[in-house]
Amino acid sequence: MGRQDQDIRPNTELIDIIPVSDDVLKELPYASHARYERGKQCLENTRKDLLDDITDCINSTEDDESRIYFLHGPTGTGKSAIAHSVAVRFDDRKHLGSSFMINSAYRHPSSDILPTIARDISDLDPSFKAALYRAIKARRSDRSISDLEEQFKLYLLQPCEALEFNGSIVIVLNGLDE
């Protein structure tokens, strides 16, 4: 069985499952219209080698291998189409944690990116949702942090440290330079 076929559900024996109030999680900022769009992916049978290379990087079972794939290049070279294609590919496999596609039509503050990713992952995985809820439930002010480092620690790192995942959860970011 390849890594892409593994269940991404965490080992729930490591955490106590608690009732989660969606109202608390909904207080985290969420960027609407930032999700990928199927119609913006690469044309069929194009960029196949690059998409396979990205997929292999994500699915690698080597512990010492980076799981970050940074795609860069000049404007108009198809980076956005590739990002949408990767998001579609892993969403179809139920391994897409989040996609955040920044474009000129919808401007979101940078402080919306990490809470949006955290809320998306919580929709994918109930154990992450419970861990995120525990991280932000006590203090209302924790739900409106604008500092990116604090957001990363509270909304992503802390919930992930409470879990043990099997398989990959993919996050696709596109257009961060816009």
Side-chain angles (χ1 to χ4, degrees), residues 65-140:
E65 193 168 313
S66 173
R67 296 292 189 279
I68 296 175
Y69 197 102
F70 181 70
L71 182 64
H72 60 92
T75 303
T77 56
K79 297 179 304 294
S80 291
I82 292 164
H84 286 270
S85 297
V86 170
V88 167
R89 183 177 282 196
F90 283 92
D91 195 23
D92 288 348
R93 296 175 181 177
K94 307 292 186 235
H95 285 260
L96 182 67
S98 184
S99 65
F100 199 103
M101 308 296 181
I102 298 170
N103 62 56
S104 57
Y106 297 100
R107 289 286 182 200
H108 300 285
S110 58
S111 60
D112 283 1
I113 296 172
L114 296 175
T116 298
I117 291 169
R119 285 183 58 185
D120 285 347
I121 295 171
S122 74
D123 288 341
L124 176 70
D125 188 274
S127 297
F128 181 89
K129 184 178 204 172
L132 175 60
Y133 173 75
R134 278 197 309 277
I136 65 170
K137 71 177 178 169
R139 297 187 329 175
R140 184 177 300 272

Side-chain angles (χ1 to χ4, degrees), residues 144-170:
S144 59
I145 296 169
S146 59
D147 181 79
L148 296 178
E149 185 175 349
E150 285 185 71
Q151 283 185 349
F152 179 76
K153 288 177 183 174
L154 190 61
Y155 303 157
L156 294 171
L157 187 61
Q158 186 175 330
C160 284
E161 286 177 336
L163 307 173
E164 184 177 300
F165 291 95
N166 295 315
S168 299
I169 294 180
V170 176

Side-chain angles (χ1 to χ4, degrees), residues 38-56:
R38 284 185 183 275
K40 292 186 176 182
Q41 64 184 316
C42 298
L43 296 174
E44 192 172 344
N45 297 319
T46 62
R47 304 291 188 138
K48 184 178 176 346
D49 289 342
L50 179 57
L51 291 169
D52 288 346
D53 185 45
I54 295 169
T55 300
D56 290 345

